[in-house]
Amino acid sequence: MGNKIKVFTNGIIRENPVLVLILGTCPVLATSTQVSSAVGMGAAATAVLLCSNIFISLLRKVIPDKVRIPCYIVLIASFVTIVQMLLNAYAYSIYDALGIFLPLIVVNCIILGRAEMFASKNTVVDSALDALGMGLGFTMALFVMASIREAFGSGTWMGMPLPVLADNPVAIMTMAPGGFFVFGCLIAFVNKFGKYKPRKKSFECESCPSATFCTMVGFGDCQERPKEEA
Amino acid sequence: MKEMIVIILTAVFVNNYVLQQFLGICPFLGVSKKIGPATGMSAAVVFVMILATAVTWPIQTFILEPAGMGYMQTVVFILLIASVVQLVEITLKRYMPSLHSALGVYLPLITTNCAVLAVCISNIDTGFTFLEAIFNALGSGLGFFLAMILFAGIRSRIEECDPPESFKGLPITLVSAAILSLSFFGFAGVIENLFA
């Protein structure tokens, strides 16, 4: 039982996909302008992650090793399409706010990364817990970042006007530069006060969406290539 | 012709994929440490963006939409991009080994680059014609190229600086990306008035 809890909490704090593993940067920067769209993005990605982790774990003994990445991508893309259609039908405002970043969940490194690193090796229950933990960690990081950006940028929180801040909005926070800036400061904050030492300080191969099938993993900088290639 | 130039300039400067729309952030932060790999990666992205658009646009317009299967877009596009990248790599390796040694390294990395999928989808969503779509892909690729080259230069300076301990590495890189992104605000409104 303790083991199961550890699998679940792993993604929320110690291996937070956004602030510690630095995965899925594009949606984090793009959808954190408002708390509501950030939560929508988090929920959509969690739903896709949960479904893909469960199914990949179920099929892990059936999928041949050599074609596993294309299989995972097709599975993930199908779940993304389902989520896209559901949001379009029942939550159009979120569908509209997320825009192009909704289909782009397919290429979100967190989902492919968890499929390859966790779901393909573990049982269904563990994979589902891992997906929930990682999804919650992703949503929480997005929520914190969106709260900061919306509070300072528009002077509101979840659409509610805040005292003082509403009179002095710093519009740049909701624009592109504010996204980079807040994200940089949040990672610096985690580096400084994080209970767990961050595993790495720069952007290396593990953060790359292609790391799972790249021939140059661990060689860094995408330039040094192992001499021998089949 | 004027429209095409406007599309390219808008994609490069005003709606820069990396700095204004947050697409393709992973390679932007990952491969921009040195100018050499940054150039190679960006050239490969430009190449694949144009090729992917040239393949996905006709398939969406002439096969998926008449068949009423527009909802299959995401699945079909990601598979098409993956196979196109794979085919290009095999072809280059066989017929153009010199080009393959320059670009080939980066090709497999591009399959899951969100900027490539995004350019294909947004070409459909904006309702571009085939020619406009190709020019938009070219512009978006060039915008990525410009951002990468500029940022590689900035990063070589950052490496020599001594920021506070907790800002070392990725945080200071992101803060400088914010300043670079801010500088691109200067282009907003310029393109519309340039040809007015």
Side-chain angles (χ1 to χ4, degrees):
Chain A
M1 194 58 210
N3 197 21
K4 298 264 184 279
I5 293 171
K6 207 174 153 216
V7 167
F8 178 65
T9 54
N10 199 18
I12 302 179
I13 304 159
R14 198 172 54 234
E15 285 190 10
N16 187 295
V18 179
L19 297 173
V20 180
L21 299 180
I22 325 288
L23 291 168
T25 10
C26 304
V28 169
L29 289 167
T31 57
S32 59
T33 49
Q34 282 179 336
V35 177
S36 55
S37 63
V39 173
M41 182 72 211
T46 309
V48 174
L49 184 57
L50 183 61
C51 297
S52 73
N53 253 15
I54 289 176
F55 274 82
I56 285 165
S57 180
L58 279 173
L59 297 170
R60 70 184 188 280
K61 297 210 174 79
V62 185
I63 297 175
D65 203 41
K66 275 194 172 162
V67 291
R68 65 184 195 288
I69 300 292
C71 293
Y72 297 165
I73 291 181
V74 174
L75 263 173
I76 295 168
S78 323
F79 290 121
V80 169
T81 309
I82 295 170
V83 167
Q84 222 178 329
M85 291 165 111
L86 286 174
L87 284 181
N88 193 358
Y90 297 110
Y92 189 76
S93 59
I94 292 178
Y95 177 83
D96 203 40
L98 296 182
I100 191 147
F101 285 93
L102 201 49
L104 288 185
I105 296 177
V106 181
V107 282
N108 188 323
C109 358
I110 300 172
I111 294 168
L112 195 58
R114 286 333 278 176
E116 169 76 3
M117 278 185 271
F118 200 92
S120 61
K121 300 187 191 92
N122 289 284
T123 60
V124 179
V125 179
D126 278 355
S127 301
L129 284 174
D130 177 72
L132 282 176
M134 283 284 163
L136 206 60
F138 179 70
T139 314
M140 270 167 47
L142 256 169
F143 179 77
V144 170
M145 201 167 137
S147 300
I148 298 173
R149 286 182 74 187
E150 198 187 326
F152 286 99
S154 343
T156 56
W157 189 78
M158 292 285 263
M160 291 179 291
L162 296 170
V164 188
L165 290 173
D167 304 326
N168 313 289
V170 191
I172 196 84
M173 293 294 261
T174 54
M175 294 187 224
F180 284 115
F181 183 74
V182 173
F183 193 40
C185 292
L186 267 183
I187 295 172
F189 182 83
V190 171
N191 282 353
K192 177 98 179 155
F193 297 105
K195 194 175 160 198
Y196 304 96
K197 273 272 162 252
R199 285 208 312 220
K200 60 179 188 295
K201 285 196 172 157
S202 73
F203 200 89
E204 301 295 341
C205 281
E206 305 97 86
S207 322
C208 173
S210 315
T212 44
F213 49 89
C214 178
T215 50
M216 293 163 286
V217 165
F219 291 83
D221 269 355
C222 303
Q223 196 173 41
E224 261 77 46
R225 175 166 220 179
K227 272 270 181 287
E228 197 52 52
E229 204 209 336
Chain B
M1 203 55 219
K2 200 182 94 181
E3 290 80 43
M4 301 304 161
I5 296 172
V6 172
I7 286 178
I8 291 190
L9 290 178
T10 310
V12 175
F13 294 110
V14 184
N15 292 334
N16 189 291
Y17 256 39
V18 179
L19 297 168
Q20 301 298 335
Q21 302 197 33
F22 299 126
L23 292 162
I25 300 288
C26 301
F28 176 66
L29 295 174
V31 203
S32 59
K33 255 186 201 153
K34 293 189 204 110
I35 197 115
T39 325
M41 180 76 182
S42 325
V45 166
V46 177
F47 189 57
V48 171
M49 270 186 177
I50 297 176
L51 217 61
T53 306
V55 176
T56 50
W57 195 92
I59 293 211
Q60 169 83 17
T61 318
F62 299 120
I63 299 180
L64 291 184
E65 267 162 24
M69 300 210 300
Y71 60 87
M72 287 293 284
Q73 196 189 48
T74 316
V75 183
V76 171
F77 278 20
I78 188 87
L79 284 178
L80 277 175
I81 293 170
S83 6
V84 164
V85 169
Q86 206 66 49
L87 276 177
V88 167
E89 212 207 341
I90 295 169
T91 323
L92 282 186
K93 204 173 188 176
R94 175 73 181 79
Y95 296 103
M96 285 174 258
S98 58
L99 194 60
H100 180 259
S101 61
L103 295 186
V105 188
Y106 308 102
L107 284 175
L109 292 172
I110 292 173
T111 318
T112 52
N113 183 338
C114 51
V116 175
L117 183 59
V119 84
C120 297
I121 297 177
S122 69
N123 277 334
I124 306 290
D125 287 350
T126 355
F128 279 144
T129 64
F130 184 68
L131 203 58
E132 284 170 342
I134 296 288
F135 274 93
N136 186 40
L138 174 66
S140 306
L142 290 178
F144 183 82
F145 201 108
L146 179 68
M148 285 287 274
I149 302 296
L150 287 175
F151 203 54
I154 294 175
R155 274 189 86 167
S156 64
R157 293 294 189 85
I158 300 174
E159 300 283 304
E160 294 164 11
C161 297
D162 190 25
E165 187 61 35
S166 51
F167 268 92
K168 271 195 182 129
L170 192 59
I172 194 72
T173 312
L174 282 163
V175 172
S176 29
I179 298 169
L180 180 60
S181 154
L182 193 61
S183 72
F184 270 66
F185 273 13
F187 293 111
V190 171
I191 309 297
E192 289 88 339
N193 296 318
L194 203 60
F195 296 95

mmCIF file of all heavy atoms in Angstrom, chain A residues 1 60 81 86 98 107 109 151 170 176 200 216 227 229:
data_model
loop_
_atom_site.group_PDB
_atom_site.id
_atom_site.type_symbol
_atom_site.label_atom_id
_atom_site.label_comp_id
_atom_site.label_asym_id
_atom_site.label_seq_id
_atom_site.Cartn_x
_atom_site.Cartn_y
_atom_site.Cartn_z
ATOM 1 N N MET A 1 0.841 -1.210 0.000
ATOM 2 C CA MET A 1 0.000 0.000 0.000
ATOM 3 C C MET A 1 0.873 1.255 0.000
ATOM 4 O O MET A 1 0.657 2.176 -0.780
ATOM 5 C CB MET A 1 -0.909 -0.030 1.247
ATOM 6 C CG MET A 1 -2.049 0.993 1.181
ATOM 7 S SD MET A 1 -3.113 0.762 -0.251
ATOM 8 C CE MET A 1 -3.641 2.421 -0.542
ATOM 9 N N ARG A 60 0.969 -3.865 -22.941
ATOM 10 C CA ARG A 60 2.433 -3.864 -22.965
ATOM 11 C C ARG A 60 3.030 -5.191 -23.396
ATOM 12 O O ARG A 60 4.139 -5.238 -23.922
ATOM 13 C CB ARG A 60 2.994 -3.426 -21.616
ATOM 14 C CG ARG A 60 2.804 -4.399 -20.466
ATOM 15 C CD ARG A 60 3.337 -3.769 -19.182
ATOM 16 N NE ARG A 60 3.351 -4.710 -18.086
ATOM 17 C CZ ARG A 60 2.279 -5.033 -17.355
ATOM 18 N NH1 ARG A 60 1.112 -4.502 -17.642
ATOM 19 N NH2 ARG A 60 2.389 -5.889 -16.360
ATOM 20 N N THR A 81 -8.032 12.947 -29.684
ATOM 21 C CA THR A 81 -9.178 13.257 -30.539
ATOM 22 C C THR A 81 -10.480 13.127 -29.760
ATOM 23 O O THR A 81 -11.381 13.968 -29.887
ATOM 24 C CB THR A 81 -9.183 12.321 -31.763
ATOM 25 O OG1 THR A 81 -7.897 12.378 -32.357
ATOM 26 C CG2 THR A 81 -10.216 12.732 -32.772
ATOM 27 N N LEU A 86 -15.077 15.770 -27.070
ATOM 28 C CA LEU A 86 -15.895 15.957 -25.869
ATOM 29 C C LEU A 86 -15.902 17.422 -25.452
ATOM 30 O O LEU A 86 -16.952 17.986 -25.124
ATOM 31 C CB LEU A 86 -15.354 15.093 -24.721
ATOM 32 C CG LEU A 86 -15.643 13.599 -24.830
ATOM 33 C CD1 LEU A 86 -14.922 12.846 -23.717
ATOM 34 C CD2 LEU A 86 -17.138 13.340 -24.747
ATOM 35 N N LEU A 98 -8.167 26.910 -25.409
ATOM 36 C CA LEU A 98 -6.952 26.107 -25.592
ATOM 37 C C LEU A 98 -6.491 26.108 -27.044
ATOM 38 O O LEU A 98 -5.305 26.000 -27.316
ATOM 39 C CB LEU A 98 -7.177 24.674 -25.118
ATOM 40 C CG LEU A 98 -7.454 24.541 -23.624
ATOM 41 C CD1 LEU A 98 -7.605 23.076 -23.255
ATOM 42 C CD2 LEU A 98 -6.339 25.153 -22.804
ATOM 43 N N VAL A 107 1.834 15.604 -28.885
ATOM 44 C CA VAL A 107 3.296 15.678 -28.860
ATOM 45 C C VAL A 107 3.807 16.210 -27.519
ATOM 46 O O VAL A 107 4.954 16.608 -27.417
ATOM 47 C CB VAL A 107 3.843 16.529 -30.018
ATOM 48 C CG1 VAL A 107 3.833 15.734 -31.294
ATOM 49 C CG2 VAL A 107 3.080 17.813 -30.189
ATOM 50 N N CYS A 109 5.528 15.987 -24.234
ATOM 51 C CA CYS A 109 6.545 15.012 -23.834
ATOM 52 C C CYS A 109 6.144 14.226 -22.597
ATOM 53 O O CYS A 109 6.579 13.105 -22.420
ATOM 54 C CB CYS A 109 7.889 15.664 -23.581
ATOM 55 S SG CYS A 109 7.966 17.395 -23.855
ATOM 56 N N ALA A 151 -3.169 37.143 -11.847
ATOM 57 C CA ALA A 151 -3.286 38.132 -10.779
ATOM 58 C C ALA A 151 -2.536 39.408 -11.140
ATOM 59 O O ALA A 151 -3.061 40.511 -11.016
ATOM 60 C CB ALA A 151 -2.756 37.548 -9.476
ATOM 61 N N VAL A 170 -0.378 44.657 -14.824
ATOM 62 C CA VAL A 170 0.877 44.671 -15.590
ATOM 63 C C VAL A 170 0.639 43.783 -16.809
ATOM 64 O O VAL A 170 0.890 42.588 -16.773
ATOM 65 C CB VAL A 170 2.042 44.103 -14.750
ATOM 66 C CG1 VAL A 170 3.370 44.360 -15.431
ATOM 67 C CG2 VAL A 170 2.032 44.687 -13.355
ATOM 68 N N ALA A 176 3.617 36.982 -24.044
ATOM 69 C CA ALA A 176 4.676 35.986 -24.153
ATOM 70 C C ALA A 176 5.867 36.230 -23.215
ATOM 71 O O ALA A 176 6.290 35.310 -22.519
ATOM 72 C CB ALA A 176 5.138 35.897 -25.603
ATOM 73 N N LYS A 200 18.516 18.105 -12.101
ATOM 74 C CA LYS A 200 19.414 18.738 -13.055
ATOM 75 C C LYS A 200 19.057 20.209 -13.155
ATOM 76 O O LYS A 200 17.959 20.622 -12.821
ATOM 77 C CB LYS A 200 19.293 18.085 -14.427
ATOM 78 C CG LYS A 200 17.906 18.183 -14.978
ATOM 79 C CD LYS A 200 17.877 17.541 -16.316
ATOM 80 C CE LYS A 200 16.551 17.789 -16.986
ATOM 81 N NZ LYS A 200 15.414 17.189 -16.325
ATOM 82 N N MET A 216 20.805 9.519 -29.886
ATOM 83 C CA MET A 216 21.892 10.298 -29.305
ATOM 84 C C MET A 216 21.669 10.602 -27.843
ATOM 85 O O MET A 216 22.314 11.469 -27.294
ATOM 86 C CB MET A 216 22.042 11.601 -30.065
ATOM 87 C CG MET A 216 22.521 11.379 -31.451
ATOM 88 S SD MET A 216 22.222 12.838 -32.424
ATOM 89 C CE MET A 216 20.483 12.768 -32.658
ATOM 90 N N LYS A 227 29.595 6.743 -32.819
ATOM 91 C CA LYS A 227 30.227 6.405 -34.097
ATOM 92 C C LYS A 227 29.517 5.266 -34.799
ATOM 93 O O LYS A 227 29.209 5.320 -35.982
ATOM 94 C CB LYS A 227 31.691 6.001 -33.852
ATOM 95 C CG LYS A 227 32.647 7.173 -33.868
ATOM 96 C CD LYS A 227 33.177 7.419 -35.284
ATOM 97 C CE LYS A 227 34.156 8.580 -35.325
ATOM 98 N NZ LYS A 227 33.501 9.877 -35.179
ATOM 99 N N GLU A 229 26.683 2.978 -35.999
ATOM 100 C CA GLU A 229 25.226 3.045 -36.156
ATOM 101 C C GLU A 229 24.761 1.913 -37.045
ATOM 102 O O GLU A 229 25.329 1.681 -38.112
ATOM 103 C CB GLU A 229 24.845 4.387 -36.774
ATOM 104 C CG GLU A 229 23.419 4.783 -36.448
ATOM 105 C CD GLU A 229 22.840 5.633 -37.527
ATOM 106 O OE1 GLU A 229 23.596 6.284 -38.270
ATOM 107 O OE2 GLU A 229 21.610 5.629 -37.636
#
